[in-house]
């Protein structure tokens, strides 16, 4: 048992696991503005933890407190069990990859990468060896002599990564690591990052506003809003089981309906939504006062379009197709319900036959599985 | 054919050649109108674009200025430097002249330049000028760098106040400010009186007519020229670079030496040359505050012109000074180009 516990890929489920980073009740105020409000987090060794949120949600401030550029107004940060209060950035076992990359413009690629090692008492030959090694890992060996302004965006990003990794930090902080790259390069780099992380066994804390980036990269995601962490979970958890209306709305696209709880049993709930033709039936219970107002979230890809009226008495709605966007791999339909409400539905294009596709102004029935909707009161 | 049906205008196509089938010409001026219309450009906008003279016009203004007030005087001075001094008005020999047998003759004397080498006064003045300028530049840099750095790091409102204070002395005449230093530095001047009243010294210190006074005057007068280019360089620095350096384990002082200082070299070069170049030829400050036994080259130049009325030698001195300064000016240009290339 002990053996399986040490190798568990989900250390956050293990009550005995030691957190590598502990953020305890940390707040940061700038004047009267509260950037980070009473945040507590545990991040484990080897994780890729994403702080996800819109601009101004405090995610970068939290990251900068881990790096040591900002001091918390309240609370404490522990890295590897050590209290980081008053420890300047240059003495922390942490390296950061800056959003702007912050490459030294007057130094070559090799000079940039070597800079961190030169701050320690390391022999020149050893420095050169390690610089060459890390440049090979990020596939920039041939560019060692170039200056940053002679590189493309993707290459600069990799120099910044190499510079941060060459010191073999236990913890690497990445601020919007893929923000400046175009879509193709992003996808490629995401998987490269994962490979490097696996090879070197570094713990990553990534700040991003891009949920797609957070989804593909991270072991867990912390969703932030207005300086607070609103949910922490695996990408699947936060997508399929959002804890609040904000998270449901923020992650992915979603159809949100207002409703009233009519039935609240152990094994199911039933919600009456004015905008839908039939009540929403969800196959799990929740604990809320009877007749409470609640929200129901249904993801576009979980809705099925049909021409036949469903036999069931709930979990369907009637409407006409208002708009169609063909995306290649899938088609996005905007369906106008009888109540006037517009609902987004996506369908994978499984065949190439156009006649099976729905057309503009066609009347359709929308239905979904009882396990699909998420209900909440928060 | 007309613009109404969308066809493009062509030369001559605009003519309102409205001919009714019955009559040959509705208007007698019609052929004339058509003739002129054919000469008209297809589109005025295209005509303006093709014959646009704005660009040369814009560059012509500074070019004219430089030719009139720099190049022409330079050629005149350059010419005079090959002439010989005579008692006449103007007091030099014409370079071009007719010989007795009516042959146009160009007479160039190199003796003025030769004279610069033989009389040790010139060499020592040049060297002294270079030394004074170099030392003053170093002091300006040592004083100006921390000031510029402080201003660049200050908040925006304070920054503007500091910059204002740097520029403020320019509102008073340069000459007046140098005179004010005489009042401060002389034997019974403000500084000596205060020090004696405090009992720090018992006899006045001689500060006037010393190198010290010249350095004070030059550093005081030219400090803004050091601070402003340094400031404009330091202000542009990306502060995340210093954060990155700290993140990589570099202490603040080391980060300054390895990041800020190398990146501010263009500012250092620009500021240093803006101080060094005028300081070499400085005339007023050494004349009012400086030594009498050792002249700076600016003073020698003016003496040759006004005291000795030896225009050719004075011109040669000026040309020699210019050649001496061409090297630092070229360094300046090179750094400026490199700065521009990075943007």
């Amino acid at each position: 048992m002990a053996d399986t516990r040490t190798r568990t890929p989900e250390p956050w489920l293990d009550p005995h696991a030691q957190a590598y980073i502990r953020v305890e009740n940390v707040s940061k105020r700038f004047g009267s503005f509260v950037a980070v409000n009473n945040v507590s987090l545990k991040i484990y060794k080897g994780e890729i933890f994403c702080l996800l949120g819109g601009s101004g949600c405090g995610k970068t401030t939290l990251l900068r407190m881990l790096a040591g550029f900002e001091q918390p107004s309240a609370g404490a940060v522990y890295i590897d069990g050590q209290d980081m209060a008053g420890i300047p950035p240059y003495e922390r076992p942490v390296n950061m990859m800056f959003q702007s990359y912050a490459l030294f413009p007057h130094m070559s690629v090799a000079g940039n990468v070597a800079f961190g090692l030169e701050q320690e008492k390391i022999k020149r030959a050893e420095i050169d060896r390690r610089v060459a090694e890390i440049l090979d890992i990020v596939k920039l060996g041939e560019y060692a002599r170039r200056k940053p302004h002679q590189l493309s965006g993707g290459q600069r990003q990799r120099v910044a990564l190499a510079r941060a990794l060459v010191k073999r930090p236990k913890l690497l902080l990445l601020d919007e690591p893929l923000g400046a790259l175009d879509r193709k390069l992003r996808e490629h780099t995401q998987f490269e990052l994962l490979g490097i992380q696996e090879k070197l066994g570094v713990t990553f804390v990534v700040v991003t506003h891009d949920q797609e980036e957070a989804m593909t990269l991270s072991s867990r995601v912390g969703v932030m809003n207005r300086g607070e962490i609103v949910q922490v979970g695996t990408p699947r958890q936060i997508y399929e089981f959002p804890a609040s209306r904000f998270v449901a709305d923020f992650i992915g696209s979603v159809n949100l309906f207002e409703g009233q709880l009519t039935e609240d049993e152990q094994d199911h709930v039933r919600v009456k939504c004015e905008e839908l033709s039939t009540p929403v039936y969800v196959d799990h219970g929740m604990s809320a006062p009877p007749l409470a107002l609640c929200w129901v979230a249904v993801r576009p890809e979980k809705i099925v379009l049909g021409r036949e009226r469903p036999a069931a008495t709930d979990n369907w709605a009637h409407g006409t197709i208002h708009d169609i966007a063909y995306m290649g791999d899938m088609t996005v339909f905007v369906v106008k319900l009888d109540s006037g409400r517009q609902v987004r539905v996506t369908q994978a294009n499984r065949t190439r036959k156009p006649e099976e596709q729905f057309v503009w102004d066609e009347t359709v029935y929308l239905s979904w599985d009882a396990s699909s909707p998420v209900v909440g009161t928060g | 054919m007309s613009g109404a049906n969308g066809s493009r205008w062509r030369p001559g196509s605009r003519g309102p050649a409205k001919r009714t089938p019955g009559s040959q010409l509705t208007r007698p001026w019609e052929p004339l109108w058509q003739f002129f219309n054919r000469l008209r450009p297809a589109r005025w906008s295209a005509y303006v674009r093709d014959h646009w003279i704005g660009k040369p016009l814009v560059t012509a203004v500074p070019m004219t200025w430089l030719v009139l007030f720099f190049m022409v005087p330079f050629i005149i001075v350059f010419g005079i430097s090959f002439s010989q001094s005579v008692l006449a008005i103007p007091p030099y020999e014409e370079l071009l002249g007719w010989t007795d047998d009516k042959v146009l003759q160009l007479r160039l004397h190199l003796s003025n330049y030769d004279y610069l080498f033989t009389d040790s006064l010139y060499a020592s003045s040049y060297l002294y000028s270079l030394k004074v300028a170099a030392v003053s530049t170093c002091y300006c840099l040592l004083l100006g760098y921390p000031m510029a750095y402080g201003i660049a790091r200050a908040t925006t409102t304070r920054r503007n106040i500091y910059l204002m204070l740097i520029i403020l002395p320019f509102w008073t005449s340069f000459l007046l400010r140098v005179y004010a230093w005489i009042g401060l530095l002389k034997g019974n001047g403000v500084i000596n009186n205060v020090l004696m009243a405090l009992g720090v010294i018992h006899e006045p210190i001689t500060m006037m007519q010393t190198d010290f006074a010249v350095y004070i005057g030059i550093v005081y007068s030219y400090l803004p020229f050091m601070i402003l280019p340094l400031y404009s360089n330091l202000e542009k620095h990306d502060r995340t670079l210093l954060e990155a350096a700290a993140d990589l384990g570099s202490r603040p002082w080391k980060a300054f030496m390895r990041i800020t200082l190398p990146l501010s070299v263009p500012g250092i070069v620009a500021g240093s040359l803006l101080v060094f170049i005028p300081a070499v030829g400085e005339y007023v400050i050494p004349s009012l505050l400086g030594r009498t036994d050792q002249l700076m080259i600016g003073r020698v130049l003016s003496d040759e012109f006004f005291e000795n009325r030896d225009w050719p030698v004075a011109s040669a001195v000026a040309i020699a000074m210019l050649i001496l300064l061409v090297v630092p000016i070229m360094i300046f240009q090179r750094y400026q180009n490199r700065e521009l290339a990075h943007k």
Side-chain angles (χ1 to χ4, degrees):
Chain A
M1 277 307 280
D3 186 44
T4 51
R5 183 188 294 159
T6 50
R7 284 193 290 116
T8 174
E10 296 176 334
W12 50 90
L13 295 179
D14 180 352
H16 300 283
Q18 282 292 314
Y20 186 62
I21 302 166
R22 274 187 295 140
V23 176
E24 289 182 356
N25 306 98
V26 162
S27 296
K28 177 70 188 178
R29 284 179 287 273
F30 296 104
S32 61
F33 175 69
V34 182
V36 173
N37 188 11
N38 199 20
V39 164
S40 293
L41 264 182
K42 278 182 179 170
I43 300 170
Y44 297 87
K45 236 187 184 100
E47 264 203 89
I48 299 187
F49 191 92
C50 272
L51 288 167
L52 176 64
S55 62
C57 73
K59 55 190 194 298
T60 299
T61 309
L62 189 57
L63 193 79
R64 288 173 61 82
M65 284 194 281
L66 290 177
F69 300 130
E70 313 280 357
Q71 294 295 325
S73 311
V77 174
Y78 298 90
I79 297 177
D80 210 2
Q82 197 192 351
D83 188 357
M84 285 289 127
I87 295 184
Y90 48 86
E91 283 172 1
R92 295 192 180 204
V94 169
N95 284 120
M96 180 154 162
M97 194 180 123
F98 290 81
Q99 182 175 13
S100 59
Y101 306 146
L103 299 179
F104 306 131
H106 57 302
M107 296 183 195
S108 66
V109 168
N112 266 282
V113 177
F115 185 88
L117 297 175
E118 286 161 3
Q119 308 307 315
E120 299 168 21
K121 299 248 177 299
I122 298 178
K123 287 205 185 81
R124 192 70 235 180
E126 169 73 3
I127 292 178
D128 291 342
R129 195 186 60 73
R130 277 171 70 175
V131 168
E133 183 186 79
I134 198 82
L135 284 179
D136 271 348
I137 291 180
V138 297
K139 303 187 185 78
L140 280 174
E142 297 154 39
Y143 297 90
R145 300 248 149 275
R146 297 259 189 111
K147 289 279 176 68
H149 67 93
Q150 296 167 312
L151 300 176
S152 72
Q155 289 166 338
R156 279 182 219 174
Q157 189 257 5
R158 283 182 290 170
V159 177
L161 183 66
R163 190 178 70 175
L165 281 172
V166 77
K167 293 197 74 174
R168 296 176 187 157
K170 292 287 183 322
L171 172 61
L172 185 68
L173 309 173
L174 301 103
D175 190 359
E176 305 270 359
L178 311 174
L181 306 182
D182 63 59
R183 198 185 163 80
K184 261 257 152 59
L185 204 53
R186 290 173 76 110
E187 265 170 34
H188 180 70
T189 315
Q190 271 175 8
F191 290 109
E192 242 173 30
L193 265 182
L194 284 176
I196 288 169
Q197 196 265 350
E198 215 158 287
K199 196 186 284 179
L200 303 177
V202 189
T203 309
F204 277 21
V205 176
V206 183
V207 151
T208 179
H209 68 275
D210 181 344
Q211 38 146 321
E212 207 176 307
E213 190 175 316
M215 290 287 186
T216 36
L217 275 179
S218 50
S219 59
R220 282 192 304 155
V221 179
V223 184
M224 287 191 75
N225 185 31
R226 296 189 188 172
E228 290 175 25
I229 297 250
V230 289
Q231 189 178 0
V232 177
T234 61
R236 179 177 289 275
Q237 278 169 351
I238 60 160
Y239 186 80
E240 304 290 3
F241 304 100
S244 67
R245 190 196 165 105
F246 172 81
V247 177
D249 202 18
F250 186 75
I251 310 291
S253 70
V254 76
N255 299 299
L256 274 166
F257 305 99
E258 307 290 337
Q260 193 174 33
L261 216 55
T262 54
E263 269 176 56
D264 188 2
E265 302 295 327
Q266 197 81 52
D267 64 334
H268 75 270
V269 288
R270 207 181 291 272
V271 182
K272 187 178 178 341
C273 295
E274 293 293 330
E275 289 166 330
L276 298 173
S277 317
T278 57
V280 177
Y281 177 89
V282 187
D283 65 356
H284 62 78
M286 62 182 291
S287 47
L291 299 179
L293 291 176
C294 60
W295 52 266
V296 176
V298 189
R299 299 271 180 207
E301 74 279 5
K302 297 199 164 58
I303 301 177
V304 181
L305 287 182
R307 294 192 172 94
E308 308 295 323
R309 181 190 166 108
T313 53
D314 36 39
N315 281 349
W316 60 266
H318 182 255
T320 52
I321 291 181
H322 183 69
D323 222 339
I324 302 174
Y326 177 73
M327 316 281 275
D329 54 344
M330 60 173 193
T331 305
V332 180
F333 297 94
V334 176
V335 180
K336 198 168 190 171
L337 299 184
D338 296 341
S339 60
R341 167 70 193 265
Q342 291 187 359
V343 172
R344 210 178 138 92
V345 181
T346 55
Q347 293 218 304
N349 295 323
R350 284 196 201 85
T351 66
R352 294 201 285 188
K353 296 173 195 153
E355 61 268 24
E356 288 184 9
Q357 291 284 339
F358 296 92
V359 294
W360 269 271
D361 294 329
E362 203 175 336
T363 58
V364 287
Y365 292 92
L366 287 68
S367 58
W368 50 88
D369 194 76
S371 64
S372 298
V374 182
V375 186
T377 50
Chain B
M1 277 304 277
S2 74
N5 60 16
S7 71
R8 283 188 56 204
W9 282 359
R10 286 198 178 78
S13 70
R14 195 197 197 181
K18 283 184 187 151
R19 295 182 192 185
T20 46
S23 64
Q24 276 296 317
L25 286 172
T26 40
R27 279 164 289 194
W29 57 82
E30 190 69 9
L32 197 69
W33 173 243
Q34 282 182 358
F35 172 74
F36 281 119
N37 226 2
R38 223 160 266 147
L39 295 176
R40 190 183 60 82
R43 279 168 179 273
W44 281 107
S45 61
Y47 179 83
V48 170
R49 189 187 60 219
D50 293 346
H51 297 80
W52 176 240
I53 53 158
K55 214 172 182 178
L57 206 69
V58 167
T59 47
V61 175
M63 284 308 274
T64 315
W65 180 275
L66 284 174
V67 166
L68 272 182
F69 298 111
F70 180 75
M71 210 168 130
V72 170
F74 176 78
I75 290 168
I76 293 171
V77 169
F78 192 64
I80 295 174
S81 78
F82 290 104
S83 171
Q84 257 186 333
S85 180
V86 286
L87 278 174
I89 297 175
Y92 62 92
E93 205 181 69
E94 288 294 334
L95 290 182
L96 283 173
W98 299 98
T99 57
D100 297 337
D101 41 356
K102 302 278 181 254
V103 177
L104 187 65
Q105 195 186 34
L106 177 68
R107 282 183 294 259
L108 294 176
H109 302 272
L110 289 170
S111 57
N112 299 320
Y113 290 96
D114 186 42
Y115 188 52
L116 295 185
F117 286 103
T118 46
D119 193 330
S120 68
L121 169 77
Y122 301 103
S124 86
S125 304
Y126 275 122
L127 287 176
Y128 179 66
S129 299
L130 289 177
K131 183 195 131 195
V132 167
V135 172
S136 313
T137 305
C138 288
Y139 283 138
C140 274
L141 185 61
L142 287 176
L143 217 64
Y145 200 103
M147 288 171 81
Y149 191 85
I151 297 170
R153 286 284 172 277
T155 58
T156 322
T157 40
R158 287 200 172 182
R159 194 185 287 178
N160 289 338
I161 294 170
Y162 293 150
L163 285 175
M164 191 69 195
L165 289 174
I166 298 285
I167 300 163
L168 208 63
F170 286 116
W171 290 8
T172 319
S173 152
F174 165 66
L175 204 60
L176 259 164
R177 284 181 285 134
V178 177
Y179 269 117
W181 273 107
I182 299 178
L184 289 169
L185 296 174
K186 66 184 176 187
N188 59 346
V190 176
I191 295 174
N192 274 321
N193 286 348
V194 169
L195 288 180
M196 287 214 283
L198 289 173
V200 180
I201 52 169
H202 300 289
E203 280 171 41
I205 314 168
T206 315
M207 287 182 285
M208 285 296 294
Q209 269 93 44
T210 60
D211 286 350
F212 171 73
V214 175
Y215 292 144
I216 287 226
I218 292 181
V219 170
Y220 168 78
S221 306
Y222 290 104
L223 193 58
F225 297 106
M226 177 64 86
I227 291 176
L228 293 176
L230 267 176
Y231 160 77
S232 83
N233 172 287
L234 288 168
E235 187 251 296
K236 278 180 287 189
H237 283 205
D238 180 0
R239 280 198 217 182
T240 54
L241 293 184
L242 289 180
E243 286 188 345
D247 186 68
L248 293 165
S250 177
R251 281 159 192 286
W253 173 247
K254 219 170 167 196
F256 171 81
M257 294 302 284
R258 292 222 35 204
I259 310 296
T260 309
L261 197 60
L263 285 176
S264 61
V265 165
I268 294 175
V269 170
S272 297
L273 288 167
L274 283 181
V275 173
F276 182 78
I277 293 168
V280 169
E282 182 53 57
Y283 167 72
V284 172
I285 296 169
S287 295
L288 293 177
L289 305 175
R291 279 156 64 176
T292 42
D293 58 330
Q294 174 67 67
L295 300 181
M296 279 180 74
I297 199 65
R299 177 67 182 275
V300 171
L301 188 67
S302 109
D303 283 356
E304 288 294 351
F305 256 113
F306 300 108
E307 308 286 322
N308 293 351
R309 282 183 61 78
D310 193 338
W311 287 22
V313 168
S315 302
V317 170
I319 297 294
M321 190 167 91
L322 195 78
I323 290 165
L324 269 180
L325 289 180
V326 157
V327 177
I329 290 171
M330 275 168 67
I331 297 172
F332 178 65
Q333 288 282 348
R334 208 171 72 97
Y335 265 97
Q336 262 205 328
N337 290 342
R338 200 192 282 178
E339 272 271 89
L340 290 174
H342 274 298
K343 276 161 202 162

